[in-house]
Amino acid sequence: MCGIIGILGKSPANQALYDGLLVLQHRGQDAAGILTCDDNRIHLRKDNGQVRDVFQERHMLGLKGNMGIGHVRYPTAGCDSPAEAQPFYVNSPYGLALAHNGNLTNADQLKDELYREDLRHINTDSDSEILLNVFAHELQAVAKLRLAPEHIFKAVSAVHRRCRGAYAVTMLVTGFGILAYRDPWGIRPLVYGKRETDQGTEYMFASESVALDVVGFDLVRDVAPGECIMVDVNGQVHSQQCAEKPIHAPCIFEFVYFARPDSMMDGIYVHKTRLRMGERLAGKIKRVWPDHDIDVVIPIPDTSRTAALQMAYELDLPYREGFIKNRYIGRTFIMPGQAERKKSVRQKLNAIDVEFRRKNVLLVDDSIVRGTTSKQIIQMARDAGARKVYFASAAPPVRFPNVYGIDMPSRQELIGHNRTEAQIAEAIGADKLIYQDLEDLIEAAREGNPKIQKFDASCFNGEYITGDVTPAYLDRVENQRNDSAKNTRSGGQSGNDLVTAEVLTFPR
Ligand SMILES: O=P(O)(O)OC[C@H]1O[C@H](OP(=O)(O)OP(=O)(O)O)[C@H](O)[C@@H]1O
Ligand SMILES: NC(=O)CC[C@H](N)C(=O)O
Ligand SMILES: [Mg+2]
């Protein structure tokens, strides 16, 4: 998952872009970048690292201009080289930059087409560089010296025709404006907001509404699946549905884990969805295990807290924060390698033994993916003196890879793959394991916006919403992106210290 942002303001956008990225850090911890544009130059700073490490004062001072886009990266394609940090930039036509959240499922085919038919060179293994070049080629095909919104919309329509998979995108067109669009399924989230200032209205796009809140913008609405919204440098807003048959099917895992609870996405409050997940999971325990002997409910911080609290309430049991989280360690699941993930669980969480001693504890997590967290946490609970350790997951078993922007490409690495629930319980060492049912998870989210008929729940049910994900494709991705393959592929050129490029200004 990555975080993306775009701002067109009436004063320098650099600080607001930085502040917005900082709040989207939970979506990507590997690399960060900001690209801004003043009258006729773009300025770019990107590198591996978290937002606070990548941007120093001298970079911020160099990021001039009232409009810009930004990105925090959690790689799902290519490698972790700083050369694949975003935003990406191409100078033709006009000067275009792109920040992408998601993952293309036909990247190989597109790369080939770009090379053979469009005569474009792709310099990294990133699917986002491919996406930018498809857009650039399509804009080149329709554009005139004087660029107009209809040209942009035609290019986005062509992107929808050519690209498959998930893409929520913010882009900057030099001297012209910023734009945002989503794939026709709206798999990844993207919101649009504005704020009034003495100098006039300012506009912002972001992966999650929490970024708008923190930077001081009001949420206007979500970018619709397939839609493109663009704001030109004169502050005119243009929007158009660019997909022929958009079908709204947002990723359910955003609600389970990725998004911040204080975000609204696709009309659904993430916090309330997690409360409902807790409510439904408690309902299941009452149904299937009415004579349970749980003494206390303990969340595994951070993400499961909301669901665990509601579960305890529904089960009429005490809720205790039995694990303390080191606030200086980031999210474990989105770390690149298994060794690092394993080590970080122990560095991150420690048990308060009095909450465990001689008790039957119900540990609650939002999900069990590789089992890295649950296995270690259950052992920690036992070491702290728990009598019985039960485990509840607010999401169903993750049994299938995700190909839409979550880096879980390898079936073999998923603890739920080819295991029954009893076998998973044994593998993680739990005395009992209770999973949320998929229908309950979907209903917990849908209750927030009943207009949404479908969610992409492929990692739970193996049904890939874009219809193009074949077993052969899954095999290929698994071979390319399992943890050991990734270890052999990292590297590449270093990131950009501040780059400033003079680009053509065109009449407007
Ligand atoms: O089964 P696993 O492969 O361990 O993955 C699942 C765990 O990873 C995530 O936590 P993470 O530490 O990333 O973030 P959090 O602090 O937001 O819960 C998630 O909340 C689960 O705890
Ligand atoms: N998680 C994401 O959204 C990743 C975006 C893009 N596929 C990359 O790897 O950089
Ligand atoms: Mg967690």
Side-chain angles (χ1 to χ4, degrees), residues 1-2 73-77 84 86 100-103 126-128 405:
M1 202 61 37
C2 298
R73 183 172 190 230
Y74 159 53
T76 59
E84 294 185 8
Q86 302 191 33
H100 166 216
N101 172 207
N103 195 60
S126 162
D127 58 330
S128 311

Side-chain angles (χ1 to χ4, degrees), residues 101-136:
N101 172 207
N103 195 60
L104 300 184
T105 49
N106 63 341
D108 290 349
Q109 178 201 329
L110 289 169
K111 194 171 187 174
D112 199 56
E113 284 173 17
L114 283 168
Y115 177 68
R116 288 179 197 286
E117 292 163 29
D118 305 343
L119 310 183
R120 281 180 174 263
H121 171 71
I122 301 297
N123 204 42
T124 70
D125 289 327
S126 162
D127 58 330
S128 311
E129 191 189 0
I130 293 172
L131 183 59
L132 172 58
N133 276 273
V134 170
F135 180 94

Side-chain angles (χ1 to χ4, degrees), residues 7-205:
I7 291 178
L8 190 146
K10 295 288 178 188
S11 57
N14 53 0
Q15 192 60 44
L17 286 161
Y18 177 94
D19 293 345
L21 285 186
L22 208 53
V23 211
L24 295 177
Q25 188 79 80
H26 61 284
R27 299 183 67 84
Q29 301 169 168
D30 278 40
I34 293 178
L35 179 143
T36 59
C37 176
D38 54 15
D39 271 352
N40 58 356
R41 277 165 199 243
I42 63 120
H43 311 276
L44 170 64
R45 163 67 182 162
K46 59 177 180 173
D47 204 350
N48 279 0
Q50 298 193 13
V51 176
R52 278 190 195 284
D53 307 318
V54 168
F55 304 99
Q56 275 110 51
E57 196 180 345
R58 67 194 165 91
H59 303 123
M60 294 302 288
L61 291 173
L63 289 166
K64 295 185 192 122
N66 293 359
M67 64 173 177
I69 59 174
H71 191 264
V72 283
R73 183 172 190 230
Y74 159 53
T76 59
C79 64
D80 57 4
S81 155
E84 294 185 8
Q86 302 191 33
F88 277 105
Y89 168 73
V90 281
N91 70 346
S92 174
Y94 311 108
L96 302 172
L98 166 142
H100 166 216
N101 172 207
N103 195 60
L104 300 184
T105 49
N106 63 341
D108 290 349
Q109 178 201 329
L110 289 169
K111 194 171 187 174
D112 199 56
E113 284 173 17
L114 283 168
Y115 177 68
R116 288 179 197 286
E117 292 163 29
D118 305 343
L119 310 183
R120 281 180 174 263
H121 171 71
I122 301 297
N123 204 42
T124 70
D125 289 327
S126 162
D127 58 330
S128 311
E129 191 189 0
I130 293 172
L131 183 59
L132 172 58
N133 276 273
V134 170
F135 180 94
H137 175 81
E138 297 300 335
L139 186 60
Q140 185 104 50
V142 293
K144 306 277 182 309
L145 183 59
R146 194 178 286 274
L147 182 62
E150 75 220 47
H151 304 130
I152 299 276
F153 296 141
K154 278 192 180 147
V156 175
S157 300
V159 164
H160 291 333
R161 278 196 301 276
R162 290 181 68 179
C163 298
R164 287 286 161 277
Y167 46 95
V169 172
T170 54
M171 288 191 68
L172 181 148
V173 184
T174 310
F176 188 72
I178 59 167
L179 55 130
Y181 52 93
R182 269 170 108 183
D183 65 65
W185 298 271
I187 299 174
R188 294 284 150 238
L190 192 56
V191 293
Y192 159 59
K194 54 184 179 177
R195 77 173 164 197
E196 303 303 333
T197 69
D198 293 345
Q199 293 91 37
T201 311
E202 302 189 312
Y203 299 90
M204 177 166 171
F205 299 105

Side-chain angles (χ1 to χ4, degrees), residues 26 29 253 256-259 274 300-305 325 329-335 338 341 344-345 348-349 364-377 391 398 408 413-415 428:
H26 61 284
Q29 301 169 168
F253 211 70
V256 170
Y257 168 68
F258 268 103
R274 291 185 186 157
I300 299 174
D302 269 326
T303 302
S304 71
R305 279 193 174 122
K325 190 186 144 190
I329 306 273
R331 292 184 119 182
T332 313
F333 175 72
I334 60 174
M335 287 177 174
Q338 185 59 8
R341 287 183 211 118
S344 101
V345 172
K348 181 163 135 177
L349 297 167
V364 180
D365 210 346
D366 52 84
S367 57
I368 304 171
V369 183
R370 298 180 181 89
T372 323
T373 310
S374 43
K375 224 185 210 162
Q376 293 195 55
I377 286 290
F391 204 96
V398 173
M408 39 196 210
E413 289 167 14
L414 304 174
I415 200 153
I428 62 174

